[in-house]
Amino acid sequence: MRGQHLTPVEDALSHMLARAPAISVLEEVPLTDALGRILAQDHRVPADVPPADNSAVDGYALRQGDLFPGVVLPVSARVPAGTAPGPLQPGTAARIFTGSEIPEGADSVVMQERVTVSDDGIEVQAEVSEGQNIRRRGQDLAAGDLALAEGTLIRPQEMGLLASMGFASVPVRKKLKVAILTTGDELVEPGLPLAPGQIYNTNRFTLLGLLSRAGCEVVLCETLEDTRDATRATLQRAAESADLVITSGGVSVGEEDHVRTVLEDGGELSLWRLAIKPGKPLAFGTMAGTPVLGLPGNPAAVLVTFLVAGMPFIRKCQGRSTIAPTPEQLPAAFSVESASVRREFVRARKEVVDGKMSVAAFHNQSSGVLSSACWANGLAVVPENTTVKTGDLLTYYSFSDLLA
């Protein structure tokens, strides 16, 4: 195990990512079920998309060279979408609709709003350039090109792109199996009455939501008894059923904090105590060869440490092509007068101040105040040994990007 000093965030992430086991099992799923899954193979374009030149508007297909002032072009054909048109007769126009294939010989499409229609044909009332309103064959995707790389998270837009190439199913990585273990004899499930000294089990539901958003499968969700033997037995059972075990609480220095000591005695504890605020007592190790991420017990600290340390680790296990989100740089609408040796992740939100975008902090940054995260829409980063004045640029991560 590393020493008792506080491990910098970058060092902790490097240590964890180097030990992230990759999911090697693949499965084929229908495209309808692919949302949120991780693509397991490169996908190249089997044929041009679109497969032929087509019209971007409802209007008339014609030859730009047939136009001169006052000319009336007879309408020689009608081209509905989904039909193969014949060649365009010289000196004429073809009625065409959005998505319809361009007839051979036509080089432009004029919007129907730009023409005057008579029994004799159409008279164009606007300038026409060659190629106008035509979507070219292969404009979106060219045959043979790499469309989507292995490790891509499939979002709605990727589903549409895969459909445009004709894929009805896709190979994806199996979902990461995660066990959630919350600690504390004081924890009670929501819906039950609270006795003196009891609190509701907040962290279980925060973690369930986070893991669902991360595309994981929760295979075990239990509350540990505050004894070393029970902690050891449940950790062992969780490790045998999951690819990753996440605990909340039990990793500090209290007499009833058994997760850390069980890892030290019966598994491996390779990381403990981060230079992060909130969430200093974070632990990482293995039990029966399965990674164990021990998060703090305070609700806001659970959220922050999961987003900062847990999500990159999960992305690496999932084989994603992108491990870390891209942050923004925004001026602070708050100040921090006392520098800390720990990097602080401030629950914050983007706001417009004096016509400019800035990032404001929730008034109470206590690690037990989860309402701060409901008010916020992201995390602003205050570096170690740094004070902040209003207007200073800070790194900001939105919750949506942290969980993407």
Side-chain angles (χ1 to χ4, degrees), residues 3 20 67 148 171 206 224 273 275 294 315-316 338 344 347 368 381:
L67 295 176
L148 294 171
T206 300
L224 293 171
R273 289 165 51 92
R315 289 192 190 101
K316 182 70 179 294
S338 299
E344 184 170 7
R347 279 87 76 199
V381 184

Side-chain angles (χ1 to χ4, degrees), residues 283-300:
F284 177 78
T286 60
M287 189 74 175
T290 299
V292 178
L293 177 60
L295 303 179
N298 283 313

Side-chain angles (χ1 to χ4, degrees), residues 126-193:
E127 292 291 327
V128 177
S129 58
E130 188 173 329
Q132 177 176 302
N133 295 321
I134 293 178
R135 296 184 291 217
R136 294 299 183 187
R137 173 178 177 171
Q139 170 184 292
D140 191 2
L141 299 168
D145 286 353
L146 178 63
L148 294 171
E150 177 185 356
T152 297
L153 171 67
I154 301 175
R155 303 168 297 174
Q157 51 266 52
E158 279 79 24
M159 291 179 69
L161 196 67
L162 288 161
S164 77
M165 295 184 283
F167 293 107
S169 63
V170 289
V172 296
R173 297 190 184 276
K174 291 278 285 187
K175 288 188 176 184
L176 189 73
K177 295 180 179 179
V178 184
I180 300 173
L181 302 179
T182 50
T183 69
D185 287 342
E186 75 279 12
L187 299 180
V188 175
E189 292 305 299
L192 298 176

Side-chain angles (χ1 to χ4, degrees), residues 220-253:
L220 184 71
C221 189
E222 294 186 10
T223 298
L224 293 171
E225 294 180 25
D226 277 339
T227 69
R228 185 169 300 190
D229 288 344
T231 298
R232 181 184 298 107
T234 308
L235 266 176
Q236 180 72 35
R237 181 160 49 86
E240 292 170 354
S241 64
D243 302 311
L244 169 66
V245 179
I246 296 181
T247 66
S248 67
V251 293
S252 192
V253 294

